[in-house]
Each structure stands twice: as structure tokens, then as C-alpha cells.
Amino acid sequence: MIPSNWYNIVPDLPAAPPPPLHPGTRQPIGPDDLAPLFPMELIGQEVSGERFVEIPREVLDVYRLWRPTPLIRARRLERSLGTPARIYYKYEGVSPAGSHKPNTAVPQAFYNAREGVRLLTTETGAGQWGSALAFACSQFDLECQVWMVRASYDQKPYRRSLMQVYGATVHPSPSPVTGPGNKALADDPDSPGSLGLAISEAVEVAAATPEARYALGSVLNHVLMHQTVIGEEALEQLPELPDLVIGCTGGGSNFAGLAFPFLREKLAGRIGTVFRAVEPAACPSFTRGTYAYDFGDTAGLTPLLKMHTLGHSFVPDPIHAGGLRYHGMSPLLSHMYELGLFEAVTRSQNECFEAGVRFARTEGIVPAPEPTHALAETIAEALRCKESGEEKVILTALCGHGHFDLAAYDRYLSGRLEDYTLPQERIDQALTELPG
């Protein structure tokens, strides 16, 4: 059954997260500061103190196209590993856009349409979020403009085509149609782009257009809250409690969506589950970033967010897990990481694709590059169980399929996929530009 409410974890935390700050005054921002970018309903959800927020009927009507999503035990993968561990995955690739992203795209489009907005702007890394928002806008008769990180724009042309099928206009980022894009192109005409820069472009257009607003696919509290339909369903579907929950993290929405309902149970003392976030070695904001106030975008147009960051000027290497190429991390998840509520580890690109191929050859689903990070850690944990004899129950989030990512799999299968080793000096340099 589809949950009737989204879950807001903030009231259950042992300490409140630090607020976003106005970059000029360094004071907590208020609703008026966010009104040019977001509808009031979403602003209210961003700061809500309610544990549960009712899902509107109109949103549930669209959710029913694919929800509830299946929870599957990976028995064939278990057998191939020879592990006593029991592995379950929550599969979000059955949505129209092929990922978990419509869980928040649909309510964001709904609330904007109800407030009279005509155009939504956004950024996208791998194209999963752009596809989801384009789909959601088609459901509520909204225009959609997407700035797609140039590296992914070139690597994933069929993601771009899918957005256009749903009616969206897609720009490569950096693009010549915005100030931040023009500056980036002047500095480096061959720039691969970054999520931070694409955010700057989308925010600039939204802020300058009265009938437009901006939509974000991860990072912010209301986005993470919308994704909790994943974990709420999994709680009902699982035949046994998990010892370990594993999810990939870029901005944080996939991991949070699965983990937050289970974390609620742990904070209440009802379960003893361990939680583990997995990020790319090429963009390791949790494990090598600094917990500090920073801009959410490259050009410094957003409020200051207290988060784990590699620095807003950091441009990640063009790894194929484009949805994880973000310089920062969800402020809420960053705060929870500081509280010690979950672990974080990194995985390299080749070991992730190795896990993705193994999963495809056993379970039959070709995963998107992003969740292969969680699968690589899941397989490693299952093999540790093989050595120790532990019969752990492992739950992971398969947040999307990789049907539009076969060019990346082709590079892996032909031995042309590179592992990027991130030099510390690149992080150090970007961190020197944190707002003082």
C-alpha cells in the first residue's frame, strides 16, 4: 500500500540541524528569502516541525502509476556470492522516469501548479532528475527547462531525448544563455560542467522570471521527506528487520528516502540497524569534505548551507555516476552524520561497474551507475559475511535502472573506464574559497 504521509525526521533528532543563512547578513533565512524560488507549501515543508505531512490526493493519483514499488530478495546474487547474508533491494526503476526521482518531482510540480507557476527550471547530473521533473511537469501542464551537466549531456544523449519527449527544453551546462554559464565558458570553453554550476544557471532564470520557480532533486529537507515513501513501504514489505541499510549518496535523497523511516525506529529504540552511505571516490564529500557553511551552487546565488562540502568551486571529474557529482551533501544528512547516526564509505568507478554487471547477470536488472556504489558495498559486506559466517540481513536501494547508461557499461566492458584518484590539493584549493 502507498503511504498516506511523508515522514519528517527532524523532530525526532537529538539536536536540531543548523539553519540556512542569508549570505549577506549571515542571519537565518525566512520564507520571503525563498519565495522567488519555491512555492509557499514547499517552503513550509522545508522548515516543518511536524513528524508527518499528508500526501495530497492529486499526488497519490500520479504515484499510483508505479507505487508501491517492489521489494525483492536477491537470491541469485546471494547464491553467486556463496554468502549466508540475506540481501533485499527496494527497486525504484519501475517509475515512468526509471528512478526514485519522481517521488519528489510529482509533489513539487503539483504545489507549483497549484500556486499558479507556469515554468519550472532545474539542473540535472545524469539526467535522472531532469527526466523525472519533465515527466511531472507533463502531468500538471507546466513548462520545464533543464540545465544538464555537459559531461552527462554528451555521455547520455538518450536521457536528453527522454526529457524532450516529456516536453522539456534541455540546455547543456555551462550554457551561453545565463551569466554563470557564459562566465564558465569564457574561463574554459571545454568545461565538463558541474551540478553546482547547473544549479546557478537554473536559479538565475527562475529568479528573473516572475511566473517561474526552481525545483531541486536532492539536498533540501522537503526533497528528502518526499522520498520517505520508499522506506515506509519497505518497512511494511520486509519479512525480517535489516541489520544493515546501504544506499548511495550524491545529494542524499535516495539514501534518506530508504533510511529515514528505519532510523525513526532505531531512534525510538525498536531496532538496532546500522546505516551506511556510499559515495564515489572521485567526489567524496562525506569522507573527505569539510563540515562548514557553503553555497549550494557555484556562482553563490543560493543561501549558505551547513553541509559536508568539497567547496562550491570544486568541479568533479566526469565520472559516469553523474547524479553523484555534487560538491556538497544534504545539510540534514550532514548534520546526522556529525551526530554519528550513520557511516560513510567510498567506492571507485570500476569496482562499482563490476558490481553492476554481476547484479545484472544474476538478478537480471541493469542498474544505473549511481546505485552500483551501494551494490558494490553490499557485495563486499556479503563476502565479509561469507568469511565470518554471519547471517546478516542487508537492505539496499536500487534507485534506478541503467538502460540509458549502456555507453558507460560499454566503456567498462572494453576496459576503457578509468578510476579517478582525487588529489588532496584539489580539495584544499576549493576549500580556500569557502565563504568567510
Side-chain angles (χ1 to χ4, degrees):
M1 179 178 292
I2 305 172
S4 58
N5 296 284
W6 295 301
Y7 168 56
N8 177 21
I9 198 171
V10 173
D12 290 337
L13 295 178
L21 301 181
H22 190 286
T25 65
R26 296 302 178 94
Q27 296 300 308
I29 58 172
D32 291 344
D33 298 309
L34 296 174
L37 295 180
F38 302 108
M40 291 308 297
E41 288 264 18
L42 292 179
I43 294 172
Q45 290 180 8
E46 185 67 19
V47 298
S48 175
E50 299 295 320
R51 295 180 73 240
F52 294 97
V53 174
E54 185 176 1
I55 303 175
R57 175 186 55 79
E58 296 87 343
V59 173
L60 286 172
D61 286 345
V62 183
Y63 275 180
R64 289 189 184 98
L65 291 173
W66 74 95
R67 304 214 70 86
T69 59
L71 180 89
I72 302 168
R73 182 169 170 188
R75 295 179 185 274
R76 292 172 178 81
L77 179 62
E78 293 169 10
R79 285 199 296 268
S80 79
L81 297 171
T83 179
R86 296 186 292 282
I87 302 170
Y88 296 87
Y89 59 95
K90 181 71 165 156
Y91 183 42
E92 292 293 301
V94 296
S95 79
S99 77
H100 68 297
K101 293 293 187 177
N103 296 331
T104 185
V106 170
Q108 289 192 52
F110 165 72
Y111 288 123
N112 275 283
R114 192 163 73 175
E115 200 167 283
V117 172
R118 298 305 311 148
L119 166 67
L120 285 181
T121 71
T122 197
E123 77 295 328
T124 193
Q128 300 261 22
W129 167 242
S131 302
L133 190 66
F135 156 71
C137 286
S138 75
Q139 298 298 299
F140 294 102
D141 197 26
L142 294 172
E143 295 178 43
C144 181
Q145 289 196 34
V146 182
W147 276 262
M148 187 175 186
V149 174
R150 182 86 219 195
S152 293
Y153 186 91
D154 294 336
Q155 289 170 354
K156 306 177 193 298
Y158 297 116
R159 279 279 174 210
R160 184 192 340 144
S161 298
L162 181 60
M163 290 180 251
Q164 292 167 337
V165 166
Y166 284 133
T169 300
V170 187
H171 308 277
S173 176
S175 77
V177 300
T178 70
N182 271 308
K183 181 180 183 305
L185 289 171
D187 293 341
D188 179 8
D190 298 318
S191 170
S194 69
L195 276 170
L197 176 59
I199 291 171
S200 296
E201 297 202 77
V203 165
E204 180 186 84
V205 172
T209 310
E211 68 275 16
R213 293 294 184 271
Y214 169 69
L216 189 63
S218 193
V219 177
L220 296 181
N221 293 4
H222 68 271
V223 179
L224 274 57
M225 182 181 70
H226 296 158
Q227 293 293 352
T228 58
V229 292
I230 303 172
E232 296 288 16
E233 287 179 5
L235 267 172
E236 294 296 319
Q237 293 167 322
L238 269 174
E240 51 190 336
L241 291 172
D243 298 298
L244 177 63
V245 170
I246 299 175
C248 65
T249 48
S253 69
N254 161 65
F255 175 72
L258 179 67
F260 279 6
F262 288 92
L263 272 163
R264 175 185 68 224
E265 301 304 302
K266 184 171 183 177
L267 289 167
R270 291 188 284 267
I271 62 174
T273 303
V274 173
F275 301 86
R276 187 172 300 154
V278 191
E279 59 186 7
C283 196
S285 52
F286 272 137
T287 54
R288 294 177 65 188
T290 294
Y291 186 51
Y293 273 103
D294 195 10
F295 292 105
D297 70 315
T298 299
L301 302 178
T302 67
L304 295 174
L305 306 172
K306 187 75 175 288
M307 61 183 177
H308 285 267
T309 179
L310 297 167
H312 63 276
S313 65
F314 176 77
V315 178
D317 290 300
I319 58 173
H320 283 279
L324 306 184
R325 293 180 69 248
Y326 183 55
H327 68 270
M329 183 54 63
S330 153
L332 180 53
L333 280 177
S334 295
H335 171 65
M336 293 168 64
Y337 186 60
E338 290 294 305
L339 293 175
L341 297 181
F342 61 88
E343 308 167 352
V345 297
T346 63
R347 288 284 168 183
S348 66
Q349 190 163 230
N350 271 288
E351 64 183 336
C352 293
F353 275 89
E354 179 184 2
V357 168
R358 184 164 201 161
F359 189 85
R361 291 176 181 176
T362 52
E363 294 299 311
I365 298 170
V366 179
E370 290 78 15
T372 62
H373 292 70
L375 290 174
E377 181 61 25
T378 296
I379 288 171
E381 185 68 30
L383 291 174
R384 286 191 283 267
C385 290
K386 182 178 181 179
E387 293 294 319
S388 67
E390 292 178 275
E391 297 183 4
K392 282 187 180 180
V393 176
I394 304 171
L395 171 64
T396 190
L398 185 55
C399 59
H401 65 64
H403 297 170
F404 296 102
D405 301 291
L406 293 177
Y409 277 94
D410 182 64
R411 290 185 65 85
Y412 168 75
L413 293 169
S414 62
R416 295 178 292 126
L417 194 65
E418 299 176 30
D419 283 332
Y420 293 92
T421 301
L422 182 61
Q424 184 61 39
E425 54 264 28
R426 281 187 57 193
I427 300 176
D428 294 341
Q429 174 57 41
L431 291 177
T432 64
E433 300 181 39
L434 289 178

